[in-house]
Each structure stands twice: as C-alpha cells, then as structure tokens.
C-alpha cells in the first residue's frame, strides 16, 4: 500500500513531517491514521506539502561532485510562477543539505540555473517555455521538479501529482541519469510511479 502524508500538520510542515518520517512508516507498516495528531493552526494546502517535499527530498539524492567549488549555500531555485508564498522559505529555515544551509532563490531564465541544485519550474507556462528550460539544462546536474502536467515525460525528473487529493510524486529515472543524479532506493520506494523515457533513443 503506498505511503501517504499525515492529514493533520502544522506550519512550517517540516516541524511535524519529514521524508524520513514517511520512510519509517513505509518500513514499519504503521498506518498513518494511527499516528497521534498534533494540533494545527490551519489545514495545509497542496503547495505547503510540495514545499515540505522540496526541502526533504534532497536528503535522498546524490549529486555528482562539482567541477568548481560550490557556494556557501544549497540553492533551491524557482523559475516561473511561485505557488508557495512564504512556505518554502519557512520550511528551508534551519535545514541543511550536505552541510550547507538551504537557500531559496527566484531566477528569471534557465541561464541562471547553472548554480542551482534543485530547480522548481512553476506555471502557468506554455509547453514550449517548459521544454526550453529543460532543454537548456539537459545534462546539467540540476534536479528539476514541477507540478505541471507531463513534466517527467518532457524531460523533468520529479513531478508532483495529486492522487486521491494527496500530494505524491513521479520520478523519471532516465532524466535523472542524464543529469548525473542518483536517487536513493528509499526515495524510489515511496514514489507514486517510476518512469522511463518514451523514446529512449532520442
């Protein structure tokens, strides 16, 4: 049975939810409904949950060693519309990946994404615009994420999807491999689906 997020959480979501918690539930077989509920101030939105995922998923991802020295932060970048409000910045506070503090940045073009470790592609955006961003990053060690339709089939690595009103994610392994990015077996185990390129020869 697929693992699911707790229905009741607080803001920032990372205070009660982490991907490690989700993975422990998968491993032990605990039913979410049996987990004690902590009082919340408001029901989290779809984008609150996606923001929490963006801050937790990197803990289960391996990037290739950079050719040049990395900066002093671990940047999560957003291109296009930002659906998260302040949720992503709130969740990123105090979090570290590979010993570096998370930093949320907004960029205007794919040319600025070279120093990003994660790039969230926001909408609304035309298919051609998304394809152009992904084409510009083809082969670059950037984990591309979006909630736009058909994102993984167009070259993206992780796509957030709603299944039974709950946020899950799809993964395209070929796109991750092309970027030189390795996703842990734990992360793959909780994905809603694992995809491959429809036209692997292209």
């Amino acid at each position: 049975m697929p693992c699911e997020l707790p229905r009741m959480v607080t803001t920032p979501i990372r205070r009660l939810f982490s991907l490690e918690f989700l993975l422990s539930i998968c491993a032990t077989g605990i039913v979410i409904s049996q987990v004690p509920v902590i009082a919340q101030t408001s029901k989290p939105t779809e984008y609150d949950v996606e923001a929490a995922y963006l801050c937790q998923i990197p803990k289960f991802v391996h990037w290739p060693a950079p050719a040049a020295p990395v900066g002093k932060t671990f940047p999560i970048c957003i291109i296009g519309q930002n659906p998260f409000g302040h949720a992503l910045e709130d969740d990123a506070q105090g979090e570290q990946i590979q010993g570096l503090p998370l930093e949320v940045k907004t960029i205007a073009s794919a040319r600025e994404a070279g120093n990003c470790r994660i790039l969230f592609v926001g909408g609304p955006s035309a298919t051609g615009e998304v394809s152009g961003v992904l084409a510009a990053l083809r082969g670059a060690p950037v984990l591309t994420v979006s909630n736009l339709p058909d994102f993984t089939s167009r070259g993206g690595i992780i796509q957030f999807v709603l299944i039974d009103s709950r946020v899950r994610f799809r993964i395209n392994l070929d796109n991750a491999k092309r970027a030189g990015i390795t996703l842990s077996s734990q992360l793959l185990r909780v994905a809603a689906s694992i995809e491959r390129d429809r036209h692997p020869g292209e």
Side-chain angles (χ1 to χ4, degrees):
M1 178 178 177
C3 297
E4 298 172 334
L5 287 172
R7 290 179 179 272
M8 306 286 281
V9 290
T10 188
T11 302
I13 288 183
R14 66 175 173 81
R15 293 176 184 167
L16 296 183
F17 159 72
S18 69
L19 199 55
E20 292 101 323
F21 173 64
L22 182 58
L23 293 171
S24 71
I25 291 172
C26 289
T28 61
I30 297 173
V31 179
I32 287 290
S33 60
Q34 297 173 344
V35 178
V37 172
I38 300 178
Q40 62 168 6
T41 56
S42 61
K43 185 175 181 179
T45 68
E46 168 189 349
Y47 303 116
D48 291 333
V49 177
E50 290 179 3
Y53 267 130
L54 280 172
C55 292
Q56 297 301 323
I57 283 175
K59 298 176 182 179
F60 300 88
V61 176
H62 176 74
W63 281 262
V70 298
K72 297 182 179 180
T73 63
F74 188 100
I76 298 178
C77 301
I78 300 173
I79 188 170
Q81 180 179 348
N82 179 356
F84 307 115
H86 296 292
L88 186 55
E89 286 89 347
D90 291 343
D91 284 342
Q93 288 183 7
E95 289 284 349
Q96 290 194 348
I97 304 295
Q98 300 176 351
L100 300 173
L102 285 181
E103 178 188 16
V104 178
K105 301 171 60 177
T106 299
I107 62 175
S109 71
R111 293 189 300 273
E112 302 175 54
N115 294 324
C116 301
R117 293 298 186 93
I118 298 175
L119 178 65
F120 181 85
V121 182
S125 183
T127 301
E129 294 174 340
V130 174
S131 298
V133 170
L134 295 174
L137 291 175
R138 188 177 179 88
V142 178
L143 181 70
T144 51
V145 185
S146 184
N147 53 19
L148 296 175
D150 302 320
F151 184 70
T152 50
S153 66
R154 289 151 60 182
I157 297 174
I158 294 179
Q159 178 185 337
F160 292 132
V161 293
L162 280 179
I163 300 177
D164 296 329
S165 300
R166 301 194 182 185
V167 179
R168 304 292 303 282
F169 55 88
R170 296 173 179 153
I171 293 174
N172 187 302
L173 279 181
D174 287 329
N175 294 336
K177 182 179 180 180
R178 189 173 294 115
I181 291 173
T182 303
L183 309 177
S184 77
S185 60
Q186 293 174 304
L187 186 64
L188 298 178
R189 191 164 67 244
V190 297
S193 63
I194 306 297
E195 302 173 356
R196 298 280 186 176
D197 285 350
R198 295 177 182 175
H199 306 289
E202 294 181 1

